[in-house]
């Protein structure tokens, strides 16, 4: 998931997929070399999702798949993930997106390398001090909090950070 200083002709693109229809649309039009963030709900419908995810890798081996953990992890949610085969699908994903320390602890319990974990903007990474701390722990990728002002963005160390861009685009399916 994390590649040190690899020069690219095009910028990296992360696409958050929320539904089967969106995944099928992405496959129909393809965006080579993209990173796809797949919702945790895919666990509940593996029969439909897993063939599509395998197809992504077949079409474009440079594409990456990130499993998006639930934003709130409680014991029942963790049990639910495990009961729906989370352990079995770990190797199908290049990375994991964690929204809280609970998510980081869960991923740690499965021995998932910190380099494979994307810290979402909900994990506090507003200051350079916290970014440095997470990097010392081995977490190299994070999302830039969208609440930051231009001045704060200019001051923040944004290397290996992802800037979420929200809005209605022609790529979205109604």
């Amino acid at each position: 998931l994390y590649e040190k200083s690899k020069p690219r002709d095009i910028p990296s693109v992360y696409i958050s997929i929320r539904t089967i229809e969106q995944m099928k649309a992405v496959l129909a039009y393809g965006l080579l070399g993209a990173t796809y963030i797949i919702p945790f709900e895919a666990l509940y419908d593996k029969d439909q999702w897993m063939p599509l995810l395998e197809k992504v890798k077949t079409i474009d081996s440079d594409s990456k798949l990130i499993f998006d953990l639930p934003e709130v992890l409680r014991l029942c949610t963790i049990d639910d993930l495990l009961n729906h085969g989370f352990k079995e699908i770990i190797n199908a994903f290049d990375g994991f997106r964690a929204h809280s320390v609970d998510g980081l602890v869960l991923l740690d319990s499965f021995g998932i390398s910190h380099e494979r974990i994307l810290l979402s903007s909900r994990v506090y990474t507003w200051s350079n001090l916290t970014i440095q701390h997470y990097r010392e722990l081995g977490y190299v990728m994070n999302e830039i909090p969208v609440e930051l002002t231009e001045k704060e963005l200019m001051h923040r160390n944004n290397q290996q950070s992802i800037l979420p861009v929200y809005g209605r685009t022609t790529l979205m399916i109604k």
Side-chain angles (χ1 to χ4, degrees):
L1 181 64
Y2 167 69
E3 298 175 29
K4 286 187 179 177
S5 303
K6 182 180 174 189
R8 298 185 61 114
D9 295 333
I10 59 170
S12 297
V13 176
Y14 284 67
I15 302 171
S16 185
I17 307 290
R18 303 313 306 163
T19 67
I20 290 281
E21 291 76 23
Q22 289 174 346
M23 189 75 234
K24 288 178 179 176
V26 165
L27 285 170
Y29 298 103
L31 188 55
L32 300 178
T35 298
Y36 301 101
I37 300 175
I38 308 301
F40 74 92
E41 293 91 351
L43 273 179
Y44 305 123
D45 198 1
K46 285 186 288 204
D47 292 343
Q48 285 195 41
W49 278 96
M50 293 314 282
L52 295 174
L53 300 180
E54 289 169 13
K55 191 172 180 182
V56 166
K57 290 297 198 172
T58 303
I59 292 172
D60 180 21
S61 62
D62 288 335
S63 289
K64 306 280 188 241
L65 298 172
I66 295 179
F67 184 85
D68 195 14
L69 288 175
E71 291 186 13
V72 177
L73 275 176
R74 294 199 170 90
L75 185 57
C76 62
T77 310
I78 293 170
D79 289 342
D80 202 34
L81 286 171
L82 295 174
N83 290 336
H84 282 88
F86 179 70
K87 286 182 187 178
E88 290 76 32
I89 59 119
I90 287 176
N91 292 329
F93 290 91
D94 300 294
F96 299 85
R97 183 178 179 206
H99 300 277
S100 66
V101 173
D102 295 338
L104 298 177
V105 170
L106 174 70
L107 295 171
D108 259 355
S109 73
F110 288 106
I112 294 170
S113 163
H114 292 181
E115 284 189 356
R116 292 177 63 196
I117 298 172
L118 167 63
L119 303 175
S120 87
S121 59
R122 292 188 63 173
V123 175
Y124 183 86
T125 60
W126 289 45
S127 73
N128 289 338
L129 185 61
T130 57
I131 292 170
Q132 178 184 342
H133 174 71
Y134 278 116
R135 288 193 178 143
E136 288 170 1
L137 293 174
Y139 300 100
V140 292
M141 297 192 58
N142 62 76
E143 289 180 353
I144 298 172
V146 294
E147 298 86 358
L148 296 181
T149 65
E150 180 181 5
K151 183 178 177 182
E152 292 167 325
L153 283 171
M154 296 301 287
H155 176 71
R156 185 181 185 274
N157 179 353
N158 293 311
Q159 292 179 339
Q160 304 305 328
S161 295
I162 298 164
L163 177 63
V165 179
Y166 299 96
R168 297 185 183 269
T169 66
T170 56
L171 295 175
M172 291 186 167
I173 296 176
K174 295 180 182 180

